[in-house]
Coordinates of all heavy atoms in Angstrom, one line a residue:
A126 N 0.8 -1.2 0.0 CA 0.0 0.0 0.0 C 0.9 1.3 0.0 O 0.5 2.3 -0.5 CB -0.9 0.0 1.2
K127 N 2.1 1.2 0.5 CA 3.0 2.3 0.6 C 3.5 2.7 -0.8 O 4.1 3.8 -1.0 CB 4.1 2.1 1.6 CG 3.7 1.9 3.0 CD 4.8 1.6 3.9 CE 4.4 1.3 5.3 NZ 5.5 0.8 6.1
S128 N 3.4 1.7 -1.7 CA 4.0 2.0 -3.1 C 3.0 1.7 -4.2 O 3.3 1.0 -5.2 CB 5.3 1.2 -3.2 OG 5.0 -0.2 -3.0
D129 N 1.8 2.1 -4.0 CA 0.7 2.0 -5.0 C 0.4 0.5 -5.4 O 0.1 0.3 -6.6 CB 1.0 2.8 -6.3 CG 1.0 4.3 -6.0 OD1 0.2 4.7 -5.1 OD2 1.8 5.0 -6.6
G130 N 0.6 -0.4 -4.5 CA 0.3 -1.8 -4.8 C 1.4 -2.6 -5.4 O 1.1 -3.8 -5.8
Y131 N 2.5 -2.1 -5.6 CA 3.7 -2.8 -6.3 C 4.9 -2.6 -5.4 O 5.1 -1.6 -4.8 CB 4.0 -2.2 -7.7 CG 2.8 -2.4 -8.7 CD1 1.8 -1.5 -8.8 CD2 2.8 -3.5 -9.5 CE1 0.8 -1.6 -9.7 CE2 1.8 -3.7 -10.4 CZ 0.8 -2.7 -10.5 OH -0.2 -2.9 -11.4
A132 N 5.8 -3.6 -5.5 CA 7.1 -3.5 -4.9 C 8.1 -4.1 -5.9 O 7.7 -5.0 -6.7 CB 7.2 -4.1 -3.6
T133 N 9.4 -3.7 -5.8 CA 10.4 -4.3 -6.6 C 11.5 -4.9 -5.7 O 11.9 -4.3 -4.7 CB 11.0 -3.2 -7.5 OG1 10.0 -2.6 -8.3 CG2 12.1 -3.7 -8.4
V134 N 12.0 -6.1 -6.1 CA 13.1 -6.7 -5.4 C 14.2 -7.1 -6.4 O 13.8 -7.4 -7.6 CB 12.7 -7.9 -4.6 CG1 11.8 -7.5 -3.4 CG2 12.0 -9.0 -5.4
V135 N 15.4 -7.0 -6.0 CA 16.5 -7.5 -6.9 C 17.1 -8.7 -6.2 O 17.4 -8.7 -5.0 CB 17.6 -6.3 -7.0 CG1 18.7 -6.8 -7.8 CG2 17.0 -5.1 -7.6
L136 N 17.3 -9.7 -7.0 CA 17.8 -11.0 -6.5 C 19.3 -11.1 -6.7 O 20.0 -10.3 -7.4 CB 17.1 -12.2 -7.2 CG 15.5 -12.1 -7.0 CD1 14.9 -13.4 -7.5 CD2 15.2 -12.0 -5.5
S137 N 19.9 -12.2 -6.2 CA 21.3 -12.4 -6.3 C 21.9 -12.4 -7.7 O 23.1 -12.1 -7.8 CB 21.7 -13.7 -5.5 OG 21.1 -14.8 -6.2
D138 N 21.1 -12.8 -8.6 CA 21.6 -12.8 -10.0 C 21.4 -11.5 -10.8 O 21.6 -11.4 -12.0 CB 21.0 -13.9 -10.8 CG 19.5 -13.7 -11.1 OD1 18.9 -12.8 -10.4 OD2 19.0 -14.4 -12.0
T139 N 21.0 -10.4 -10.0 CA 20.7 -9.1 -10.5 C 19.4 -9.0 -11.2 O 19.1 -7.9 -11.7 CB 21.8 -8.5 -11.4 OG1 21.9 -9.1 -12.6 CG2 23.2 -8.5 -10.7
S140 N 18.6 -10.0 -11.3 CA 17.3 -9.9 -11.9 C 16.4 -9.1 -11.0 O 16.5 -9.1 -9.8 CB 16.7 -11.3 -12.2 OG 16.5 -12.0 -11.0
V141 N 15.4 -8.4 -11.6 CA 14.5 -7.5 -10.9 C 13.1 -8.2 -11.0 O 12.7 -8.6 -12.1 CB 14.5 -6.1 -11.6 CG1 13.4 -5.2 -10.9 CG2 15.8 -5.5 -11.5
W142 N 12.4 -8.2 -9.9 CA 11.1 -8.9 -9.8 C 10.1 -7.9 -9.2 O 10.4 -7.1 -8.3 CB 11.2 -10.1 -9.0 CG 12.1 -11.1 -9.6 CD1 13.4 -11.2 -9.6 CD2 11.6 -12.2 -10.5 NE1 13.9 -12.2 -10.4 CE2 12.8 -12.9 -10.9 CE3 10.4 -12.7 -10.9 CZ2 12.7 -14.0 -11.8 CZ3 10.3 -13.8 -11.7 CH2 11.4 -14.4 -12.2
I143 N 8.9 -7.9 -9.8 CA 7.8 -7.1 -9.3 C 6.9 -7.9 -8.4 O 6.5 -9.1 -8.8 CB 7.0 -6.6 -10.5 CG1 7.9 -5.9 -11.5 CG2 5.9 -5.6 -10.0 CD1 8.7 -4.7 -11.0
L144 N 6.5 -7.4 -7.3 CA 5.6 -8.0 -6.3 C 4.3 -7.3 -6.3 O 4.3 -6.1 -6.3 CB 6.3 -8.0 -4.9 CG 7.7 -8.5 -4.8 CD1 8.1 -8.4 -3.3 CD2 7.8 -10.0 -5.3
R145 N 3.2 -8.1 -6.3 CA 1.9 -7.6 -6.1 C 1.1 -8.5 -5.2 O 1.6 -9.5 -4.8 CB 1.2 -7.5 -7.5 CG 1.8 -6.6 -8.5 CD 1.2 -6.5 -9.8 NE -0.3 -6.4 -9.7 CZ -1.2 -6.9 -10.6 NH1 -0.8 -7.6 -11.6 NH2 -2.4 -6.8 -10.4
L146 N -0.1 -8.1 -4.9 CA -0.9 -8.9 -4.0 C -1.7 -9.9 -4.9 O -2.4 -9.4 -5.9 CB -1.9 -8.0 -3.2 CG -2.8 -8.7 -2.3 CD1 -2.0 -9.4 -1.2 CD2 -3.8 -7.7 -1.7
A147 N -1.7 -11.1 -4.6 CA -2.4 -12.1 -5.3 C -3.8 -12.3 -4.7 O -4.0 -12.0 -3.5 CB -1.7 -13.5 -5.3
G148 N -4.7 -12.8 -5.4 CA -6.1 -13.0 -4.9 C -6.2 -14.2 -3.9 O -7.1 -14.2 -3.1
D149 N -5.3 -15.1 -4.0 CA -5.3 -16.3 -3.2 C -5.0 -15.9 -1.7 O -4.1 -15.2 -1.5 CB -4.2 -17.3 -3.7 CG -4.3 -18.7 -3.0 OD1 -4.3 -18.7 -1.8 OD2 -4.3 -19.7 -3.8
K150 N -5.8 -16.4 -0.8 CA -5.6 -16.1 0.6 C -4.3 -16.7 1.2 O -3.6 -16.0 1.9 CB -6.8 -16.6 1.4 CG -8.1 -15.9 1.1 CD -8.1 -14.5 1.7 CE -9.5 -13.9 1.5 NZ -9.5 -12.5 1.6
A151 N -4.0 -17.9 0.8 CA -2.8 -18.6 1.4 C -1.5 -18.1 0.7 O -0.5 -17.9 1.3 CB -3.0 -20.1 1.4
N152 N -1.6 -18.1 -0.6 CA -0.4 -17.7 -1.5 C -0.6 -16.3 -2.0 O -1.0 -16.1 -3.1 CB -0.2 -18.7 -2.6 CG 0.0 -20.1 -2.1 OD1 0.8 -20.3 -1.3 ND2 -0.9 -21.0 -2.5
Y153 N -0.4 -15.3 -1.2 CA -0.8 -13.9 -1.5 C 0.3 -13.1 -2.2 O 0.0 -12.0 -2.5 CB -1.2 -13.2 -0.2 CG -0.2 -13.3 1.0 CD1 0.8 -12.4 1.1 CD2 -0.3 -14.4 1.9 CE1 1.7 -12.5 2.1 CE2 0.6 -14.5 2.9 CZ 1.6 -13.6 3.0 OH 2.5 -13.7 4.0
I154 N 1.4 -13.7 -2.4 CA 2.5 -12.9 -3.1 C 2.5 -13.3 -4.6 O 2.8 -14.4 -4.9 CB 3.9 -13.2 -2.4 CG1 3.9 -12.8 -1.0 CG2 5.0 -12.4 -3.2 CD1 5.1 -13.3 -0.2
H155 N 2.2 -12.3 -5.4 CA 2.2 -12.5 -6.8 C 3.5 -11.9 -7.3 O 3.9 -10.8 -7.0 CB 1.0 -11.7 -7.5 CG 1.1 -11.7 -9.0 ND1 0.5 -12.7 -9.7 CD2 1.6 -10.8 -9.8 CE1 0.7 -12.4 -11.0 NE2 1.3 -11.3 -11.1
V156 N 4.3 -12.7 -8.1 CA 5.6 -12.4 -8.6 C 5.7 -12.5 -10.1 O 5.2 -13.4 -10.7 CB 6.6 -13.4 -7.9 CG1 8.0 -13.0 -8.4 CG2 6.6 -13.4 -6.4
H157 N 6.3 -11.5 -10.7 CA 6.7 -11.6 -12.1 C 7.9 -10.8 -12.4 O 8.3 -9.9 -11.7 CB 5.5 -11.2 -13.0 CG 5.0 -9.8 -12.9 ND1 5.6 -8.8 -13.6 CD2 4.1 -9.3 -12.1 CE1 5.0 -7.6 -13.3 NE2 4.1 -7.9 -12.4

């Protein structure tokens, strides 16, 4: 909520991933 519903993470291989909220209650982290 602090970043308009999206967040960005950088992994060990320097790839960048976008995080969003998934609709699933148990698996709530949507990654692409």
Side-chain angles (χ1 to χ4, degrees):
K127 293 176 186 174
S128 56
D129 294 328
Y131 296 87
T133 302
V134 295
V135 179
L136 302 186
S137 62
D138 69 344
T139 70
S140 62
V141 178
W142 294 81
I143 307 302
L144 308 180
R145 295 181 46 210
L146 183 64
D149 189 308
K150 294 286 186 197
N152 301 305
Y153 51 87
I154 301 171
H155 174 88
V156 178
H157 61 86

